[in-house]
Amino acid sequence: MTTTPDTSQMTRAQRAELPLSTEVAQALAEQHGVCIRPLAMRRIDTTTGRVEIVPVPCGSTREDQCPPCAEKARRLRMAQCREGWHLDAEPVTERAAPSDEHTTLLAARADLLAAYTECKINGDTEACEHIAASVAELDTELRAAGVQGRLTPLDPLPKPVKRSTRRRQDAPNLPRRPVERRTVGRVFAGRYRPSTFLTLTLDSYGRVDSDGAAVDPDRYDYRRAARDAIHFPALLDRFWQNTRRCVGWDVQYFGTIEPQKRGAPHFHAAIRGAIPRAELRTIAAATYHQVWWPAHDQLRYTDERLPVWDTRAKAFTDPDTGHPLPTWEQACEELTEPAHVVRFGAQVHVKGILGAPRKLAATSAT
Ligand SMILES: [Zn+2]
């Protein structure tokens, strides 16, 4: 027989050992495979005016944040990958033609945008605020009416600084073909439509032992390893851009970034369609990403000597000279070369894979 513990008779240490109610709730949620940290959303019934609180799953893809949601996302990705990897017909999405309601709403929005710009030039902030509120309402209506895509912002951001895109001397030339509107791979010998499994890694930063630790910590290039890891996603973006331009069709893939034992990320991708091994190797070798950041390899200010906020200059200033520190944009304008260049390592693993015949289940049943 179990009795309910009387917490008033317990010491503080004994009480600290009891599970917290939130922890119990989380464990219970995990056991039942439902979200452990749902978001509370307020739903207003527009006809009755009744307000309800509805829990919405967090939808995290990270197991450390919400195991049930991450597992659900993983299963969905697995199913999508299995279904989509070896597709033999183009997945077509038909967009609905815009209705009268859509065009009327968009026209009204364009008029308001013009009025806003005019009021802004005239310095009429009150009118600007009114118009902005109407536009926000219209945008909600447009989204509710099912309009997708970007709506012109009222206050467009200043254009980013233009950079020279001059190709580096040491990057090999890639052929450039116009990109066809096709995502499905070619058929070989009349019936085979292979797909590709690709693994990309980063360079070596020094020898590592079987645990992935540096054999010689003094000579291991930790700094380059860290920067390469931080900018790896941008390098991957460049890789897919280069791949599509080089092969001439709209290559689709499923991918995952995983850490190697040495801590460096590497990338696995299941690519729909076949791309020759030599071509993927050439593209990987030709791909690089330049990081146009101000120099960030020296600590200029420490806890003993920090920049000082100057209320009149509205900026942080140097504690010795009193000069305002440059903003990120100002510091970037003076750059003549990138602070870092990321590239892939020499190891590029490519494997051609034949998809299982898609109608197998149907044919074996008859
Ligand atoms: Zn969740």
Side-chain angles (χ1 to χ4, degrees):
M1 196 183 107
T2 52
T3 46
T4 319
D6 183 358
T7 46
S8 63
Q9 300 291 312
M10 288 178 163
T11 63
R12 180 200 277 266
Q14 282 172 323
R15 273 201 303 274
E17 279 172 10
L18 293 175
L20 282 173
S21 57
T22 48
E23 283 167 7
V24 178
Q26 279 193 2
L28 200 62
E30 244 182 277
Q31 227 176 57
H32 288 270
V34 296
C35 183
I36 63 166
R37 39 162 222 181
L39 310 165
M41 297 262 278
R42 203 165 33 200
R43 186 169 59 188
I44 304 167
D45 190 320
T46 47
T47 40
T48 62
R50 241 191 77 188
V51 180
E52 267 182 304
I53 306 287
V54 253
V56 176
C58 74
S60 175
T61 54
R62 281 174 48 180
E63 211 188 323
D64 60 331
Q65 290 177 341
C66 180
C69 282
E71 178 60 17
K72 212 168 150 191
R74 197 176 72 91
R75 285 181 186 280
L76 175 66
R77 292 288 173 275
M78 278 162 66
Q80 285 174 330
C81 184
R82 201 170 45 235
E83 294 294 312
W85 191 8
H86 306 288
L87 271 194
D88 48 18
E90 212 60 74
V92 189
T93 36
E94 299 259 1
R95 281 210 186 281
S99 69
D100 282 349
E101 188 199 356
H102 293 154
T103 47
T104 316
L105 284 172
L106 262 186
R109 194 185 188 279
D111 288 343
L112 282 173
L113 188 65
Y116 179 87
T117 315
E118 206 184 306
C119 291
K120 207 178 166 192
I121 291 166
N122 297 335
D124 191 346
T125 36
E126 203 180 314
C128 278
E129 272 167 34
H130 279 299
I131 299 170
S134 311
V135 170
E137 242 168 69
L138 261 185
D139 288 356
T140 319
E141 246 180 280
L142 277 164
R143 294 296 183 215
V147 173
Q148 302 268 312
R150 191 171 161 275
L151 297 164
T152 322
L154 288 177
D155 300 289
L157 294 169
K159 285 223 171 77
V161 188
K162 275 257 184 322
R163 305 230 172 277
S164 148
T165 48
R166 224 160 10 122
R167 199 159 39 75
R168 295 185 74 81
Q169 297 298 311
D170 46 1
N173 227 331
L174 284 177
R176 240 187 117 138
R177 305 187 179 102
V179 181
E180 285 174 43
R181 288 177 63 111
R182 160 168 81 85
T183 70
V184 170
R186 276 182 45 212
V187 176
F188 294 87
R191 59 201 180 112
Y192 298 110
R193 198 189 295 271
S195 298
T196 313
F197 193 78
L198 167 76
T199 303
L200 293 168
T201 53
L202 281 169
D203 210 354
S204 166
Y205 308 106
R207 284 186 45 217
V208 290
D209 63 19
S210 57
D211 292 327
V215 171
D216 183 354
D218 292 331
R219 293 178 58 190
Y220 192 82
D221 198 346
Y222 289 105
R223 184 164 282 179
R224 194 159 67 92
R227 291 183 175 183
D228 279 4
I230 290 168
H231 300 291
F232 191 60
L235 182 67
L236 284 179
D237 285 348
R238 295 287 305 174
F239 174 79
W240 292 113
Q241 206 178 9
N242 285 345
T243 300
R244 288 180 182 128
R245 281 181 188 158
C246 181
V247 302
W249 48 282
D250 194 7
V251 180
Q252 301 293 304
Y253 67 94
F254 263 91
T256 173
I257 296 179
E258 287 170 1
Q260 286 172 304
K261 232 180 203 169
R262 59 184 179 132
H266 70 164
F267 181 68
H268 298 295
I271 303 174
R272 184 189 293 156
I275 301 174
R277 189 162 301 173
E279 211 160 27
L280 281 172
R281 292 228 160 96
T282 315
I283 299 165
T287 298
Y288 59 90
H289 168 66
Q290 295 179 313
V291 181
W292 288 95
W293 283 11
H296 51 289
D297 51 358
Q298 270 181 50
L299 204 57
R300 298 279 186 93
Y301 299 99
T302 56
D303 278 352
E304 287 82 53
R305 194 177 151 273
L306 286 172
V308 181
W309 179 258
D310 184 334
T311 31
R312 253 187 315 148
K314 286 199 173 73
F316 278 107
T317 55
D318 186 285
D320 300 332
T321 65
H323 289 314
L325 302 181
T327 63
W328 180 271
E329 284 75 21
Q330 285 164 347
C332 284
E333 268 167 34
E334 285 161 20
L335 297 177
T336 51
E337 55 179 281
H340 187 63
V341 180
V342 208
R343 292 166 191 288
F344 292 112
Q347 277 190 34
V348 177
H349 188 80
V350 183
K351 201 173 162 199
I353 288 172
L354 277 177
R358 289 178 64 77
K359 304 274 159 46
L360 196 67
T363 38
S364 60
T366 50

